[in-house]
Amino acid sequence: MSSYLTIPRKFLQRPAVLYVLQNHGFSTKEHTGKQTTKVYDLTQYEFSYSAEETQRILEILNHSSEEAFFEFKITKGMAKKLIKGRSQLGTFQNVSQLLNIDGFGLKNVENICDKVLNEKPSQILKEEEFVQSKVLIFKKLVKPRVEPQIIKMVSVARRIPKADVFVWEERANYGYLQKAPLGSIIIAMKLAQMRGILTALLDIRQEGKKGGNLFYLRDILVSKLFNLKVGGERICGLNLADQIMQSEKILDWLPPLELNNETQEKYFSIDKVQRKYISTSLFISLAFYQTVIENNVLSHKVLIEG
């Protein structure tokens, strides 16, 4: 039988049509009228793939995404139909099940299988390999949590009262990190990260103000003004801070603080460890206020001559 047959799939199960196909091979030809050389008999046709090739085909068809199908030069429309057919069946158990997909004939199925077999195995992952690689990437490259220090920094930033100026003391030179141990470098990186977060949080609270209200002081400024350097180390200067909070005149360039009894009592009721942190803030704020805001000439002289 050499005539061109167009048989809708829904009619293939009818006995009369099966009788015709059982007694006659049928061939396909393009709409141009050119006869193809391959002859199919649906009742006797078997896909000519070995067990290994069949397993390879099924693995790829069952585990590939739509994008992966494109690598096999499978059209977008066919890729969507493959995924839809796969979702309906769960998985393809044999190649012949592809014939149940709407629009897939023997020629379509063979073309897809041939494309899959000609592709290099290394270009696509099996499902279990993909899952393993995803887990590996997540464990090695992604941290699913925010570190406690960062959470604490955000919490602290929210509790900082509104102010016209925020002052931060930092090192002016990080050259010391070139030969520093790994631990010191990691700490410096963490501090830089925390400073960046704090800067962003405080900047948001400016409420449309132009220009920044966060200033950075070189650490040498406080050290010189309050003479806190002993050798190469910076001391906390708690005793000096206590004297300042008692409104004593202890430095030529610094006027005594005018503090009421309640403020002084509250300060000295705090334990020594906490007062050390407060003393650092005290020195930074006084240094900035006297040198920048008040333009204290005596403080400038200490910095220049020191």
Side-chain angles (χ1 to χ4, degrees):
M1 179 175 170
S2 59
S3 61
Y4 179 79
L5 295 177
T6 302
I7 306 174
R9 183 159 301 284
K10 62 182 179 179
F11 296 130
L12 289 180
Q13 301 301 322
R14 294 191 175 186
V17 177
L18 285 175
Y19 175 79
V20 173
L21 296 177
Q22 286 172 353
N23 290 277
H24 302 277
F26 78 93
S27 62
T28 61
K29 62 180 179 180
E30 306 294 337
H31 290 287
T32 57
K34 184 178 179 181
Q35 184 73 28
T36 60
T37 57
K38 197 159 188 173
V39 178
Y40 297 90
D41 184 344
L42 287 177
T43 60
Q44 300 180 7
Y45 184 82
E46 293 182 2
F47 290 101
S48 57
Y49 302 115
S50 66
E52 183 178 354
E53 289 174 333
T54 300
Q55 183 180 1
R56 168 70 181 156
I57 292 168
L58 293 176
E59 283 179 351
I60 292 176
L61 295 182
N62 284 326
H63 301 139
S64 295
S65 63
E66 185 176 330
E67 291 76 14
F69 281 131
F70 297 161
E71 296 181 9
F72 297 105
K73 295 182 173 60
I74 295 173
T75 64
K76 186 175 182 179
M78 283 192 170
K80 287 184 178 296
K81 288 183 177 181
L82 280 168
I83 292 175
K84 183 179 179 181
R86 185 176 68 194
S87 64
Q88 291 173 344
L89 290 172
T91 56
F92 296 116
Q93 301 298 319
N94 53 70
V95 176
S96 62
Q97 286 179 308
L98 297 177
L99 294 170
N100 295 325
I101 299 176
D102 183 38
F104 277 36
L106 285 169
K107 190 173 182 180
N108 298 125
V109 173
E110 281 193 338
N111 284 339
I112 290 172
C113 293
D114 289 342
K115 287 176 181 178
V116 167
L117 291 175
N118 290 330
E119 188 71 16
K120 293 181 180 180
S122 61
Q123 290 182 304
I124 188 166
L125 288 174
K126 297 179 183 178
E127 185 177 24
E128 59 270 20
E129 292 173 344
F130 173 76
V131 171
Q132 290 174 1
S133 67
K134 183 179 179 181
V135 171
L136 180 63
I137 290 173
F138 191 77
K139 286 184 176 180
K140 295 291 185 182
L141 303 180
V142 179
K143 281 189 173 182
R145 62 182 177 83
V146 179
E147 296 187 6
Q149 300 96 317
I150 303 303
I151 296 176
K152 187 175 181 181
M153 175 59 69
V154 174
S155 177
V156 169
R158 288 174 177 170
R159 296 199 301 269
I160 295 177
K162 290 185 178 180
D164 295 326
V165 173
F166 297 100
V167 183
W168 183 295
E169 184 183 28
E170 69 166 355
R171 287 179 179 269
N173 188 345
Y174 291 92
Y176 71 98
L177 291 175
Q178 292 181 352
K179 297 182 179 180
L182 180 60
S184 298
I185 295 174
I186 292 174
I187 291 173
M189 291 174 64
K190 294 292 183 184
L191 289 173
Q193 184 183 31
M194 294 169 70
R195 185 172 65 247
I197 292 172
L198 181 60
T199 301
L201 291 172
L202 294 177
D203 185 64
I204 291 172
R205 294 167 54 180
Q206 289 192 65
E207 300 178 353
K209 294 179 182 177
K210 291 184 178 180
N213 62 345
L214 179 61
F215 295 86
Y216 293 91
L217 293 186
R218 291 184 59 178
D219 58 348
I220 194 173
L221 188 147
V222 172
S223 297
K224 280 190 172 183
L225 284 177
F226 293 95
N227 195 24
L228 297 178
K229 274 284 186 76
V230 177
E233 297 296 325
R234 164 88 167 263
I235 60 175
C236 70
L238 179 58
N239 292 334
L240 180 63
D242 288 348
Q243 288 178 292
I244 292 174
M245 290 301 294
Q246 288 173 338
S247 300
E248 295 181 12
K249 173 69 175 178
I250 56 173
L251 296 169
D252 293 336
W253 64 269
L254 181 64
L257 294 185
E258 297 180 3
L259 302 174
N260 56 41
N261 293 334
E262 183 181 355
T263 302
Q264 291 176 335
E265 289 175 3
K266 190 171 183 179
Y267 171 79
F268 287 104
S269 67
I270 300 171
D271 65 79
K272 190 174 181 180
V273 174
Q274 294 299 320
R275 291 212 313 276
K276 285 182 179 180
Y277 295 118
I278 295 175
S279 66
T280 300
S281 299
L282 176 66
F283 295 142
I284 293 172
S285 58
L286 288 176
F288 181 83
Y289 182 78
Q290 290 297 327
T291 57
V292 179
I293 305 299
E294 288 292 314
N295 196 25
N296 185 325
V297 177
L298 294 177
S299 67
H300 295 175
K301 185 177 179 181
V302 172
L303 293 174
I304 293 172
E305 295 179 353

